[in-house]
Amino acid sequence: WSNPSKPKIMAALTPTFHWAQSRRKVFVTISLVNCEDVKHNLLDSQLQFSGHVGGKAYSLDFELPHSIDTKNSKFVSGRNPRFELAKADESVFWTRLCKNKRQFKMFCKVDFDKWKDEDELYGSDAESEEEEEEKVAPVSNRGGPEPPLKIDAMGLPPLIGGMTQEQINELMAKEKVARDKASSGEFKEEPDSDDEPLPDLDGKQSA
């Protein structure tokens, strides 16, 4: 039997979080606004975070798939707290953020505003590290206002953020093919229905 006078201890909630990467860093943004009592810790291959929003406790604690350089990694507080993880091995493209890909499947989302696939980061046409860091790093790092996260009517980020890595790669591949076809002129413009002749007011076909 429970003791009604004993206060209930509420389990911490799991926040939604988004990630993307550059050649040198992995960016993790926690989707909590104006978080208080923030605590964070980074180990060689582990990320830990906790905080409160509106009287509710949130926490994250998971292993990373690869080691990080903790000395050159940092936590940035702000409207949305975030981590900038320095890769221990800059030649490795991370295919996922959590070592256990099923652990936070419903909460770990890809940040498509910053996402780049492996070819874009390590291919022959890859941008310089400075150019690539400039585009992938959060806007607030570049002196501008930090944009608000896109939230749907249910208070969650768009569903596309929940795609698996395989689905992401497939989507990126399709977009690349479409861009290549467009640049080579393979796409043929379909006739616009607005260009078809319309009947006049007397019901006769216009010339």
Side-chain angles (χ1 to χ4, degrees), residues 129-147:
E129 291 187 359
E130 290 74 16
E131 292 174 328
E132 178 245 333
E133 288 284 349
E134 177 71 13
K135 290 184 178 180
V136 177
V139 173
S140 56
N141 281 9
R142 307 196 292 268
E146 186 170 345

Side-chain angles (χ1 to χ4, degrees), residues 49-67:
F49 169 86
S50 65
H52 290 79
V53 175
K56 296 180 180 180
Y58 293 86
S59 70
L60 279 176
D61 188 345
F62 60 87
E63 286 190 74
L64 302 165
H66 305 284
S67 297

Side-chain angles (χ1 to χ4, degrees), residues 139-182:
V139 173
S140 56
N141 281 9
R142 307 196 292 268
E146 186 170 345
L149 287 175
K150 298 176 181 178
I151 302 298
D152 63 18
M154 298 298 292
L156 298 173
L159 182 59
I160 192 172
M163 296 173 69
T164 65
Q165 186 62 42
E166 291 77 13
Q167 291 172 321
I168 294 167
N169 293 338
E170 182 179 354
L171 176 61
M172 294 298 180
K174 288 181 179 179
E175 290 184 353
K176 186 176 186 300
V177 170
R179 289 196 300 268
D180 292 342
K181 286 185 177 180

Side-chain angles (χ1 to χ4, degrees), residues 2-206:
S2 61
N3 185 351
S5 62
K6 187 177 180 179
K8 294 182 179 180
I9 301 177
M10 301 296 291
L13 303 173
T14 300
T16 298
F17 53 105
H18 294 71
W19 78 287
Q21 67 185 301
S22 67
R23 273 173 286 182
R24 296 182 293 188
K25 297 179 181 179
V26 174
F27 303 94
V28 183
T29 302
I30 313 297
S31 301
L32 295 176
V33 179
N34 300 327
C35 193
E36 300 178 340
D37 302 325
V38 174
K39 295 180 181 179
H40 54 87
N41 187 38
L42 290 174
L43 303 176
D44 177 65
S45 58
Q46 187 171 7
L47 181 151
Q48 297 172 324
F49 169 86
S50 65
H52 290 79
V53 175
K56 296 180 180 180
Y58 293 86
S59 70
L60 279 176
D61 188 345
F62 60 87
E63 286 190 74
L64 302 165
H66 305 284
S67 297
I68 60 173
D69 179 355
T70 55
K71 290 184 179 180
N72 290 310
S73 299
K74 64 180 180 179
F75 175 82
V76 182
S77 59
R79 188 173 185 273
N80 299 113
R82 67 179 184 272
F83 292 87
E84 294 184 8
L85 312 178
K87 295 180 179 179
D89 186 347
E90 297 179 4
S91 66
V92 176
F93 178 80
W94 289 30
T95 58
R96 59 179 179 269
L97 179 64
C98 303
K99 184 175 182 179
N100 180 355
K101 61 183 179 181
R102 298 181 181 277
Q103 185 178 8
F104 293 115
K105 187 176 181 180
M106 300 299 295
F107 301 94
C108 183
K109 314 288 185 179
V110 170
D111 191 337
F112 278 95
D113 289 336
K114 304 182 182 72
W115 182 262
K116 288 189 175 183
D117 61 24
E118 189 170 7
D119 288 340
E120 290 178 297
L121 292 180
Y122 298 99
S124 58
D125 296 330
E127 298 174 327
S128 67
E129 291 187 359
E130 290 74 16
E131 292 174 328
E132 178 245 333
E133 288 284 349
E134 177 71 13
K135 290 184 178 180
V136 177
V139 173
S140 56
N141 281 9
R142 307 196 292 268
E146 186 170 345
L149 287 175
K150 298 176 181 178
I151 302 298
D152 63 18
M154 298 298 292
L156 298 173
L159 182 59
I160 192 172
M163 296 173 69
T164 65
Q165 186 62 42
E166 291 77 13
Q167 291 172 321
I168 294 167
N169 293 338
E170 182 179 354
L171 176 61
M172 294 298 180
K174 288 181 179 179
E175 290 184 353
K176 186 176 186 300
V177 170
R179 289 196 300 268
D180 292 342
K181 286 185 177 180
S183 61
S184 63
E186 291 184 34
F187 277 135
K188 296 181 179 179
E189 184 176 357
E190 296 294 333
D192 193 333
S193 60
D194 291 339
D195 295 334
E196 296 178 0
L198 299 176
D200 58 22
L201 295 178
D202 296 328
K204 297 180 181 180
Q205 190 74 9
S206 60

